[in-house]
Amino acid sequence: MRIAITGSTGLIGTALAQSLRADGHDLVRLVRRPARAGDEVEWDPKRQYVDTAGLAGCEAVVHLAGAGVGDHRWTAAYKKEIRDSRVLGTAALAEALASLDVPPKVLLCGTAIGYYGDTGTRAVDEEAPPGDGFLAGVCVEWEEAAAAAQEAGIRTVFARTGLVVARGGGAWGRLFPLFRAGLGGRLGSGRQYWSFISQHDHTAALRHLLDSPELSGPVNLTAPEPVTNREVTAAMARVLRRPALFPVPAPAIRLVLGEFAEDVLGSQRVLPRRLLDSGFTFAFPEIDGAIRAAR
């Protein structure tokens, strides 16, 4: 297939692009500058601009772009950047795809389990309503911004991603060096649930969503059994064979991270019901295997 991707240089986009290219798919990368190569298409989410001519012939579009949630302290300006990069970008892309004479068959939009807010010990699946808080509100607007594509009859899937266990980036990319140095430990009480997914399974799940015409709407991309932060800490120490003796108290996390700390300390026990019901099989369903695959 000819497949367009936004966010192709990020952690998730890089892995997906490599997987698709390995199977012979023709990729088009949306870039936020003038195109310099034959496989590039210019777009500017803030200006709501997409060079639609470059998307002609694409059978699928994967939308992964967005400012990093944990890259900076949450000032008012950066919260606006987090929201606008997702909502404006999704709206621009959805409207551009809807305007094509021959639109793609599928738009796969990467969103997040932040949609559910803090679920405590309560397990939730795709039927659960949105939660409270900044990230939950962003996720709601993010998914609503794809309305133009849905109204045009494009199969639209929202991949609500959990914490991706990867060494090369994201939240887990910051944990690996700490634990390797023997400086790892639980965060806060450690009782909060972390809904993780191995990078291998995440890429495979995205491929599965592209190839499953019966799937549309939200699909949780998390492992079948979420674990607590305390269990994550023990697994990291066990797999990496390093002590985990340095717990970080909640007040210190709040001091360093500000408002974002509430999401780090919050609990999200999210289940991938629709993914499992569609026949997807996890290669690394348990936390030890996911960490071992990424180390």
Side-chain angles (χ1 to χ4, degrees), residues 7-77:
S8 64
T9 59
L11 173 70
I12 292 170
T14 297
L16 178 62
Q18 290 174 346
S19 174
L20 290 169
R21 283 197 182 101
D23 284 344
H25 294 290
D26 180 20
L27 299 190
V28 175
R29 298 179 299 116
L30 278 77
V31 296
R32 291 187 293 267
R33 54 167 172 73
R36 299 172 186 163
D39 67 342
E40 294 182 345
V41 171
E42 182 182 0
W43 80 313
D44 187 331
K46 291 183 179 179
R47 289 195 296 116
Q48 302 280 281
Y49 169 75
V50 181
D51 180 6
T52 53
L55 298 178
C58 287
E59 297 177 64
V61 176
V62 183
H63 177 39
L64 302 172
V69 169
D71 289 358
H72 300 280
R73 193 176 181 87
W74 281 10
T75 62

Side-chain angles (χ1 to χ4, degrees), residues 101-286:
D101 292 337
V102 181
K105 296 177 181 177
V106 57
L107 168 60
L108 175 53
C109 184
T111 63
I113 62 169
Y115 178 94
Y116 303 107
D118 189 337
T119 74
T121 59
R122 176 174 54 95
V124 299
D125 61 20
E126 293 87 354
E127 296 297 322
D132 299 320
F134 170 68
L135 288 183
V138 168
C139 288
V140 170
E141 290 190 79
W142 193 357
E143 295 185 5
E144 288 177 345
Q150 294 172 301
E151 292 166 3
I154 300 170
R155 179 172 68 93
T156 304
V157 189
F158 301 110
R160 293 178 180 167
T161 294
L163 292 166
V164 179
V165 185
R167 187 177 58 185
W172 234 283
R174 300 178 185 182
L175 291 181
F176 271 104
L178 289 175
F179 276 86
R180 288 188 186 281
L183 300 175
R186 61 174 170 77
L187 302 179
S189 71
R191 292 192 294 270
Q192 67 271 32
Y193 275 91
W194 280 20
S195 295
F196 72 93
I197 185 170
S198 74
Q199 185 171 28
H200 172 94
D201 284 331
H202 190 268
T203 300
L206 292 176
R207 296 286 305 268
H208 178 78
L209 296 181
L210 286 174
D211 295 337
S212 300
E214 74 280 6
L215 286 174
S216 63
V219 181
N220 295 333
L221 268 56
T222 59
E225 294 293 336
V227 293
T228 64
N229 175 259
R230 189 183 295 274
E231 291 172 313
V232 167
T233 299
M236 289 286 285
R238 187 164 55 244
V239 173
L240 299 180
R241 299 182 179 180
R242 302 294 294 166
L245 305 176
F246 295 91
V248 184
I253 296 173
R254 292 188 177 99
L255 180 65
V256 173
L257 298 182
E259 185 181 349
F260 180 47
E262 301 312 313
D263 289 273
V264 172
L265 296 169
S267 181
Q268 292 194 304
R269 192 176 183 181
V270 179
L271 306 180
R273 180 183 60 82
R274 297 194 68 205
L275 193 60
L276 291 172
D277 287 351
S278 68
F280 182 79
T281 301
F282 285 84
F284 303 102
E286 298 178 350

